Amino acid sequence: MTVTQLGVVGGGLMGSGIAEVAARRGIDVVVVEATDDAAKAALGRIERSIARGLRSSKLSEAEAEAALGRISVTSDLEALGDRDAVIEAVIEDEATKLAVFAKLDHVVTRADALLASNTSSIPIMKLAMATQRPEYVIGIHFFNPVPVMPLVELVPSLLTSEATQERAHAFAADQLGKHVIKAKDRAGFIVNALLIPYILSAVRMLESGFATAEDIDTGMVDGCAHPMGPLALADLIGLDTTMAVAESLYEEFKEPLFAPPPLLSRMCEAGLLGRKSGRGFYRYDEPSAPKGGS
Protein backbone atom coordinates (compact mmCIF):
# COMPACT_ATOMS: atom_id res chain seq x y z
CA MET A 1 0.00 0.00 0.00
CA THR A 2 1.48 3.33 -1.09
CA VAL A 3 1.81 6.09 1.52
CA THR A 4 -0.04 9.15 0.23
CA GLN A 5 -0.70 10.97 3.53
CA LEU A 6 2.21 11.17 5.95
CA GLY A 7 2.30 12.59 9.46
CA VAL A 8 5.53 13.67 11.17
CA VAL A 9 5.63 14.34 14.91
CA GLY A 10 8.46 16.74 15.64
CA GLY A 11 9.73 19.44 13.32
CA GLY A 12 13.38 19.68 14.34
CA LEU A 13 16.28 18.90 12.02
CA MET A 14 15.23 15.29 11.52
CA GLY A 15 11.47 15.77 11.36
CA SER A 16 11.66 18.73 9.01
CA GLY A 17 14.09 16.81 6.81
CA ILE A 18 11.77 13.79 6.63
CA ALA A 19 8.84 16.05 5.78
CA GLU A 20 10.80 17.79 3.04
CA VAL A 21 11.97 14.57 1.41
CA ALA A 22 8.45 13.12 1.45
CA ALA A 23 6.87 16.28 0.04
CA ARG A 24 9.46 16.44 -2.73
CA ARG A 25 8.41 12.89 -3.62
CA GLY A 26 4.76 13.87 -4.02
CA ILE A 27 3.44 12.90 -0.57
CA ASP A 28 1.01 15.09 1.41
CA VAL A 29 2.66 15.84 4.78
CA VAL A 30 1.36 17.17 8.09
CA VAL A 31 4.04 18.13 10.63
CA VAL A 32 2.96 18.41 14.27
CA GLU A 33 4.97 20.37 16.80
CA ALA A 34 4.40 21.01 20.52
CA THR A 35 3.47 24.69 20.16
CA ASP A 36 2.40 27.15 17.47
CA ASP A 37 5.77 28.89 17.67
CA ALA A 38 7.61 25.60 17.23
CA ALA A 39 5.37 24.78 14.26
CA LYS A 40 6.25 28.10 12.61
CA ALA A 41 9.93 27.43 13.25
CA ALA A 42 9.60 23.98 11.64
CA LEU A 43 8.01 25.47 8.53
CA GLY A 44 10.77 28.06 8.34
CA ARG A 45 13.37 25.30 8.59
CA ILE A 46 11.77 23.45 5.69
CA GLU A 47 11.44 26.61 3.60
CA ARG A 48 15.13 27.44 4.08
CA SER A 49 16.20 23.93 3.14
CA ILE A 50 14.09 23.93 -0.01
CA ALA A 51 15.48 27.37 -0.88
CA ARG A 52 19.00 25.94 -0.62
CA GLY A 53 17.99 23.15 -2.98
CA LEU A 54 16.63 25.75 -5.40
CA ARG A 55 19.84 27.80 -5.27
CA SER A 56 21.98 24.73 -5.90
CA SER A 57 19.76 23.70 -8.85
CA LYS A 58 18.70 20.47 -7.15
CA LEU A 59 15.10 21.68 -7.48
CA SER A 60 13.30 23.76 -10.07
CA GLU A 61 11.07 26.63 -8.98
CA ALA A 62 8.01 24.56 -9.88
CA GLU A 63 9.26 21.58 -7.86
CA ALA A 64 10.06 23.77 -4.86
CA GLU A 65 6.64 25.42 -4.96
CA ALA A 66 4.88 22.06 -5.32
CA ALA A 67 6.80 20.55 -2.40
CA LEU A 68 5.96 23.46 -0.09
CA GLY A 69 2.33 23.20 -1.15
CA ARG A 70 2.20 19.62 0.10
CA ILE A 71 3.38 20.52 3.64
CA SER A 72 1.28 21.88 6.48
CA VAL A 73 2.38 22.46 10.06
CA THR A 74 0.28 22.55 13.20
CA SER A 75 0.40 22.09 16.96
CA ASP A 76 -2.74 19.93 16.91
CA LEU A 77 -1.98 16.20 17.10
CA GLU A 78 -5.56 15.46 16.06
CA ALA A 79 -4.58 16.59 12.55
CA LEU A 80 -2.90 13.20 12.11
CA GLY A 81 -6.17 11.29 12.38
CA ASP A 82 -6.46 10.51 8.66
CA ARG A 83 -2.79 9.69 8.00
CA ASP A 84 -1.85 6.30 6.54
CA ALA A 85 1.65 6.57 8.08
CA VAL A 86 3.08 8.62 10.94
CA ILE A 87 6.76 9.00 11.79
CA GLU A 88 7.73 10.11 15.30
CA ALA A 89 10.84 12.33 15.28
CA VAL A 90 10.85 13.98 18.71
CA ILE A 91 13.86 14.24 21.05
CA GLU A 92 15.80 11.07 21.84
CA ASP A 93 14.11 10.51 25.19
CA GLU A 94 12.32 7.26 25.92
CA ALA A 95 9.57 8.70 28.13
CA THR A 96 8.76 11.41 25.58
CA LYS A 97 8.58 8.91 22.73
CA LEU A 98 6.42 6.49 24.73
CA ALA A 99 3.97 9.32 25.43
CA VAL A 100 3.82 10.18 21.72
CA PHE A 101 3.06 6.59 20.71
CA ALA A 102 0.37 6.25 23.36
CA LYS A 103 -1.32 9.39 21.99
CA LEU A 104 -0.94 8.31 18.36
CA ASP A 105 -2.65 5.03 19.19
CA HIS A 106 -5.80 7.01 20.05
CA VAL A 107 -5.48 9.81 17.49
CA VAL A 108 -4.70 7.90 14.27
CA THR A 109 -8.03 6.46 13.19
CA ARG A 110 -6.83 4.26 10.33
CA ALA A 111 -6.50 0.80 11.86
CA ASP A 112 -3.77 -0.23 9.40
CA ALA A 113 -1.70 2.97 9.59
CA LEU A 114 2.06 2.57 9.93
CA LEU A 115 3.37 4.00 13.20
CA ALA A 116 7.11 4.50 12.83
CA SER A 117 9.87 5.93 14.99
CA ASN A 118 12.99 7.73 13.83
CA THR A 119 14.73 6.79 17.08
CA SER A 120 18.45 6.17 16.75
CA SER A 121 18.77 3.90 19.77
CA ILE A 122 15.58 3.07 21.69
CA PRO A 123 14.28 -0.50 21.17
CA ILE A 124 11.18 -0.49 18.98
CA MET A 125 9.52 -3.14 21.13
CA LYS A 126 9.28 -0.65 24.01
CA LEU A 127 7.56 1.90 21.79
CA ALA A 128 5.25 -0.68 20.22
CA MET A 129 3.95 -1.77 23.62
CA ALA A 130 2.73 1.77 24.29
CA THR A 131 0.07 1.03 21.65
CA GLN A 132 -2.68 -1.50 21.11
CA ARG A 133 -1.36 -2.26 17.60
CA PRO A 134 2.29 -3.34 17.95
CA GLU A 135 2.14 -5.23 14.65
CA TYR A 136 2.00 -1.84 12.86
CA VAL A 137 4.91 -0.25 14.75
CA ILE A 138 8.38 -0.18 13.16
CA GLY A 139 11.61 1.79 13.27
CA ILE A 140 12.46 3.88 10.21
CA HIS A 141 15.71 5.57 11.16
CA PHE A 142 16.89 8.36 8.85
CA PHE A 143 20.26 10.10 8.98
CA ASN A 144 21.11 13.79 9.20
CA PRO A 145 20.75 15.74 6.95
CA VAL A 146 17.80 13.72 5.66
CA PRO A 147 17.60 15.35 2.18
CA VAL A 148 21.27 14.44 1.59
CA MET A 149 22.02 11.19 3.41
CA PRO A 150 20.87 8.13 1.41
CA LEU A 151 20.59 5.58 4.23
CA VAL A 152 17.60 4.39 6.24
CA GLU A 153 17.69 1.67 8.90
CA LEU A 154 14.52 -0.43 9.00
CA VAL A 155 13.98 -1.93 12.45
CA PRO A 156 11.07 -4.32 13.08
CA SER A 157 10.25 -5.50 16.59
CA LEU A 158 9.39 -9.07 17.50
CA LEU A 159 5.72 -8.21 16.92
CA THR A 160 6.00 -6.16 13.72
CA SER A 161 4.07 -7.96 10.98
CA GLU A 162 5.61 -8.98 7.66
CA ALA A 163 3.09 -6.76 5.87
CA THR A 164 4.20 -3.74 7.91
CA GLN A 165 7.84 -4.48 7.13
CA GLU A 166 7.09 -4.73 3.41
CA ARG A 167 5.10 -1.48 3.41
CA ALA A 168 7.79 0.36 5.36
CA HIS A 169 10.51 -0.90 3.03
CA ALA A 170 8.52 0.14 -0.04
CA PHE A 171 7.88 3.58 1.48
CA ALA A 172 11.55 4.24 2.30
CA ALA A 173 13.10 2.64 -0.78
CA ASP A 174 10.59 3.05 -3.59
CA GLN A 175 8.79 6.24 -2.58
CA LEU A 176 11.59 8.17 -0.88
CA GLY A 177 14.47 6.70 -2.86
CA LYS A 178 16.53 5.74 0.19
CA HIS A 179 18.99 2.86 0.52
CA VAL A 180 17.45 0.57 3.14
CA ILE A 181 19.31 -1.75 5.48
CA LYS A 182 17.55 -3.98 8.01
CA ALA A 183 18.61 -4.11 11.65
CA LYS A 184 17.65 -6.25 14.62
CA ASP A 185 15.72 -4.52 17.39
CA ARG A 186 18.69 -3.89 19.65
CA ALA A 187 19.64 -0.51 21.12
CA GLY A 188 21.68 1.46 18.61
CA PHE A 189 20.74 -0.79 15.68
CA ILE A 190 23.64 -1.11 13.18
CA VAL A 191 25.10 2.34 12.64
CA ASN A 192 25.03 3.74 16.17
CA ALA A 193 26.15 0.48 17.75
CA LEU A 194 29.35 0.95 15.72
CA LEU A 195 29.54 4.75 15.68
CA ILE A 196 28.92 5.69 19.32
CA PRO A 197 31.79 3.64 20.85
CA TYR A 198 34.09 5.25 18.26
CA ILE A 199 32.97 8.75 19.24
CA LEU A 200 33.18 7.96 22.97
CA SER A 201 36.72 6.66 22.48
CA ALA A 202 37.67 10.00 20.92
CA VAL A 203 36.08 11.87 23.86
CA ARG A 204 38.07 9.74 26.33
CA MET A 205 41.27 10.42 24.37
CA LEU A 206 40.61 14.17 24.58
CA GLU A 207 39.61 13.94 28.25
CA SER A 208 42.84 12.15 29.15
CA GLY A 209 44.99 14.80 27.48
CA PHE A 210 46.35 12.26 25.00
CA ALA A 211 45.71 14.60 22.03
CA THR A 212 43.88 17.79 21.11
CA ALA A 213 40.45 17.78 19.49
CA GLU A 214 41.98 19.13 16.28
CA ASP A 215 44.65 16.42 16.14
CA ILE A 216 42.19 13.63 16.93
CA ASP A 217 39.89 14.74 14.13
CA THR A 218 42.72 15.41 11.67
CA GLY A 219 44.08 11.94 12.37
CA MET A 220 40.82 10.29 11.33
CA VAL A 221 40.19 12.58 8.34
CA ASP A 222 43.71 12.57 6.85
CA GLY A 223 44.80 9.17 8.17
CA CYS A 224 41.64 7.11 7.64
CA ALA A 225 39.87 9.09 4.90
CA HIS A 226 36.84 9.82 7.08
CA PRO A 227 34.86 12.83 5.82
CA MET A 228 34.71 14.27 9.34
CA GLY A 229 36.52 13.59 12.60
CA PRO A 230 34.69 11.96 15.54
CA LEU A 231 34.52 15.08 17.73
CA ALA A 232 33.28 17.30 14.90
CA LEU A 233 30.76 14.59 14.09
CA ALA A 234 29.57 14.52 17.71
CA ASP A 235 29.07 18.28 17.51
CA LEU A 236 27.02 17.82 14.33
CA ILE A 237 24.89 15.04 15.84
CA GLY A 238 24.44 17.03 19.06
CA LEU A 239 26.21 16.08 22.28
CA ASP A 240 22.88 15.59 24.02
CA THR A 241 21.79 13.11 21.34
CA THR A 242 25.17 11.38 21.49
CA MET A 243 24.77 11.14 25.26
CA ALA A 244 21.23 9.77 25.00
CA VAL A 245 22.25 7.08 22.51
CA ALA A 246 25.24 6.09 24.66
CA GLU A 247 23.01 5.78 27.73
CA SER A 248 20.53 3.64 25.81
CA LEU A 249 23.31 1.36 24.58
CA TYR A 250 24.83 1.07 28.05
CA GLU A 251 21.46 0.30 29.62
CA GLU A 252 20.91 -2.50 27.11
CA PHE A 253 24.36 -4.12 26.99
CA LYS A 254 26.19 -2.95 30.15
CA GLU A 255 29.42 -2.79 28.15
CA PRO A 256 31.98 -0.23 29.42
CA LEU A 257 32.69 0.99 25.88
CA PHE A 258 29.11 2.33 25.76
CA ALA A 259 29.35 4.28 29.06
CA PRO A 260 29.35 8.08 28.50
CA PRO A 261 32.66 9.68 29.62
CA PRO A 262 32.41 12.31 32.39
CA LEU A 263 33.52 15.04 29.96
CA LEU A 264 30.53 14.37 27.72
CA SER A 265 28.19 14.48 30.71
CA ARG A 266 29.62 17.77 31.95
CA MET A 267 29.37 19.38 28.52
CA CYS A 268 25.72 18.40 28.22
CA GLU A 269 25.02 19.77 31.69
CA ALA A 270 26.69 23.04 30.67
CA GLY A 271 24.55 23.31 27.53
CA LEU A 272 27.58 22.90 25.24
CA LEU A 273 25.71 20.72 22.77
CA GLY A 274 27.66 21.28 19.55
CA ARG A 275 26.63 23.11 16.41
CA LYS A 276 23.06 23.75 17.52
CA SER A 277 24.21 25.63 20.63
CA GLY A 278 27.17 27.31 18.93
CA ARG A 279 29.75 25.49 21.02
CA GLY A 280 30.74 21.88 21.71
CA PHE A 281 34.19 20.48 21.13
CA TYR A 282 34.59 23.48 18.80
CA ARG A 283 33.24 27.02 18.78
CA TYR A 284 31.13 27.61 15.70
CA ASP A 285 31.57 31.38 15.63
CA GLU A 286 35.30 30.96 14.95
CA PRO A 287 36.95 30.65 11.53
CA SER A 288 38.75 27.46 12.62
CA ALA A 289 35.47 25.62 13.32
CA PRO A 290 35.06 22.44 11.25
CA LYS A 291 33.15 22.88 8.03
CA GLY A 292 30.97 20.35 6.28
CA GLY A 293 28.19 18.10 7.42
CA SER A 294 25.53 20.79 7.57
Side-chain angles (χ1 to χ4, degrees):
M1 183 188 301
T2 301
V3 173
T4 59
Q5 295 179 299
L6 177 69
V8 179
V9 183
L13 284 175
M14 296 303 295
S16 62
I18 294 167
E20 178 189 341
V21 168
R24 285 169 59 172
R25 289 280 180 153
I27 299 170
D28 177 80
V29 184
V30 174
V31 180
V32 177
E33 259 291 3
T35 66
D36 289 341
D37 286 345
K40 290 177 184 176
L43 182 58
R45 199 171 288 116
I46 295 167
E47 290 172 339
R48 289 190 297 274
S49 180
I50 288 178
R52 285 194 295 271
L54 187 59
R55 288 195 299 272
S56 62
S57 300
K58 293 178 182 177
L59 287 171
S60 68
E61 288 191 18
E63 288 170 333
E65 185 177 345
L68 285 171
R70 297 185 188 105
I71 298 171
S72 61
V73 297
T74 180
S75 59
D76 182 11
L77 199 67
E78 299 287 338
L80 301 180
D82 65 345
R83 302 288 97 179
D84 45 38
V86 178
I87 300 175
E88 167 274 312
V90 301
I91 61 170
E92 194 67 6
D93 175 76
E94 185 176 316
T96 303
K97 290 181 183 290
L98 287 171
V100 168
F101 272 86
K103 290 175 183 176
L104 289 176
D105 194 36
H106 294 288
V107 166
V108 180
T109 57
R110 290 193 56 157
D112 61 348
L114 290 179
L115 299 182
S117 176
N118 184 57
T119 179
S120 56
S121 64
I122 297 168
I124 301 303
M125 190 73 263
K126 291 185 177 181
L127 303 178
M129 295 312 291
T131 76
Q132 299 298 312
R133 38 177 144 178
E135 67 273 24
Y136 293 106
V137 178
I138 192 165
I140 304 179
H141 178 217
F142 295 81
F143 290 81
N144 183 36
V146 180
V148 175
M149 298 295 281
L151 189 69
V152 162
E153 287 180 315
L154 199 66
V155 190
S157 79
L158 291 173
L159 298 181
T160 305
S161 71
E162 287 293 331
T164 294
Q165 294 181 51
E166 291 170 4
R167 288 172 61 197
H169 189 285
F171 167 66
D174 301 337
Q175 291 191 256
L176 301 187
K178 297 296 186 181
H179 184 184
V180 177
I181 59 176
K182 189 174 179 180
K184 293 286 187 181
D185 188 20
R186 304 289 185 272
F189 316 135
I190 295 172
V191 173
N192 279 312
L194 294 169
L195 176 64
I196 294 301
Y198 161 66
I199 291 176
L200 299 184
S201 179
V203 176
R204 293 187 186 99
M205 183 174 282
L206 175 66
E207 186 174 46
S208 71
F210 190 91
T212 66
E214 292 80 2
D215 285 350
I216 292 168
D217 282 352
T218 299
M220 297 309 295
V221 171
D222 291 349
C224 296
H226 287 201
M228 182 180 289
L231 299 175
L233 180 56
D235 276 355
L236 175 63
I237 294 168
L239 301 193
D240 52 344
T241 300
T242 301
M243 179 83 173
V245 177
E247 289 175 331
S248 182
L249 284 162
Y250 185 72
E251 180 183 352
E252 176 113 321
F253 298 108
K254 300 298 188 290
E255 294 281 355
L257 76 165
F258 294 130
L263 175 60
L264 182 61
S265 301
R266 297 296 90 77
M267 292 179 73
C268 288
E269 290 162 358
L272 306 179
L273 306 181
R275 284 178 179 264
K276 60 187 173 185
S277 69
R279 179 181 169 190
F281 293 109
Y282 298 90
R283 289 181 179 271
Y284 289 89
D285 56 353
E286 294 181 351
S288 59
K291 305 297 191 293
S294 63

